[in-house]
Amino acid sequence: MLGGCGAQRITFLYPDESVNMALVGSRTPALYIDSVTDMRPLLQREGRGHFFTITFPKDTSWEAPPTRLYAEALAQDLEQTGLVELVPLASQADYLLSADLLSVSCELHRSRTSYLLTGLIGGAAGFALGSDSSHRAKLGAAMAVAGMMAIPVPTSHRAEAEVRLTLRDRSGEIVWQKSCLGEVDDRSYITPTARQDQQLVTRNLTRAVKRANACLIGQLRQTLGERAAPAPADSTTN
């Protein structure tokens, strides 16, 4: 994985997860997702690194702007909880919800010692296969480089998503604001030349966003429950 960038665009394959969080005995509030503002640090926007520490994906690697991808993930989570009714126009809403992306990124770390070990393995193999001392030295050097490039090494990767949500009423007054951080730590064996950006984003970053949203929506539910209007009475009841 070279810097988490390349010609292939990264897609955000957000998982489905239905959890019933509807407000029992109350009218389901109408909600409009107003805006998503990108407040991530420049390091996450541009990416960095090649071998030992890599921050990815950079903005140009995404299939769509991260703000749009998060807006779609947030809408999906809200719809699948049944907590609110999403409406297409702000004028139809009881509340307006906006989001600030504080962090959405993956980091990958490799130990320098692991490269030394794979180089020694490749060099030893080349030295053993050489026909004479000169050939052994040349073959050992070549296979040491090949070993560092081709042998998978222990690699730790971390995904995080930090989001702040702000809920406003019809008058524009802030009635609730909260930020949550979702984190996923993982470890696997990856070669330096492997391109696993998409796999790591799908496996870890989507889960980090899901955890951040679960934290936020859970607290949003408490606020909406405290402000909820009673459900309309059944007109058929005498």
Side-chain angles (χ1 to χ4, degrees):
M1 181 184 298
L2 303 179
C5 60
Q8 182 180 2
R9 296 292 183 180
I10 303 297
T11 59
F12 197 67
L13 305 175
Y14 199 58
D16 289 329
E17 185 176 353
S18 297
V19 178
N20 186 4
M21 299 180 68
L23 299 173
V24 179
S26 302
R27 183 179 67 84
T28 301
L31 183 135
Y32 175 76
I33 298 179
D34 187 19
S35 63
V36 179
T37 304
D38 195 343
M39 301 182 66
R40 296 172 301 144
L42 186 62
L43 172 63
Q44 292 187 5
R45 296 169 183 259
E46 296 184 346
R48 72 168 182 185
H50 293 287
F51 292 103
F52 301 112
T53 299
I54 304 170
T55 301
F56 67 99
K58 62 182 181 180
D59 281 2
T60 54
S61 295
W62 285 109
E63 64 166 350
T67 50
R68 174 182 156 191
L69 297 174
Y70 177 73
E72 293 172 352
L74 177 61
Q76 176 180 312
D77 282 340
L78 287 170
E79 287 181 336
Q80 291 182 343
T81 60
L83 176 61
V84 296
E85 177 191 356
L86 296 182
V87 293
L89 299 174
S91 59
Q92 300 172 328
D94 299 311
Y95 298 101
L96 279 68
L97 185 67
S98 60
D100 297 319
L101 295 187
L102 306 179
S103 176
V104 177
S105 183
C106 296
E107 284 190 355
L108 183 148
H109 299 278
R110 296 186 180 97
S111 169
R112 297 176 186 270
T113 305
S114 62
Y115 281 91
L116 176 61
L117 179 60
T118 55
L120 289 174
I121 293 173
F127 190 81
L129 295 173
S131 57
D132 53 45
S133 58
S134 176
H135 185 233
R136 287 172 181 166
K138 293 178 181 178
L139 187 59
M143 292 193 66
V145 174
M148 286 189 286
M149 293 295 102
I151 298 176
V153 297
T155 305
S156 60
H157 26 99
R158 179 176 181 273
E160 71 170 36
E162 185 175 11
V163 183
R164 178 171 59 227
L165 293 184
T166 302
L167 186 72
R168 291 178 170 85
D169 60 18
R170 286 179 178 270
S171 66
E173 180 181 353
I174 295 177
V175 298
W176 174 81
Q177 186 178 69
K178 181 66 178 178
S179 61
C180 282
L181 173 66
E183 300 174 282
V184 174
D185 292 297
D186 203 355
R187 189 173 177 84
S188 60
Y189 284 80
I190 303 176
T191 64
T193 56
R195 299 301 304 266
Q196 296 193 9
D197 306 50
Q198 180 66 69
Q199 294 94 318
L200 296 178
V201 166
T202 300
R203 189 168 81 198
N204 297 329
L205 188 56
T206 57
R207 291 164 57 205
V209 171
K210 182 70 74 173
R211 290 178 180 180
N213 279 355
C215 168
L216 290 165
I217 294 174
Q219 296 182 65
L220 175 62
R221 184 182 188 277
Q222 180 178 349
T223 296
L224 292 177
E226 293 170 353
R227 299 172 57 89
D234 189 344
S235 58
T236 62
T237 302
N238 295 325

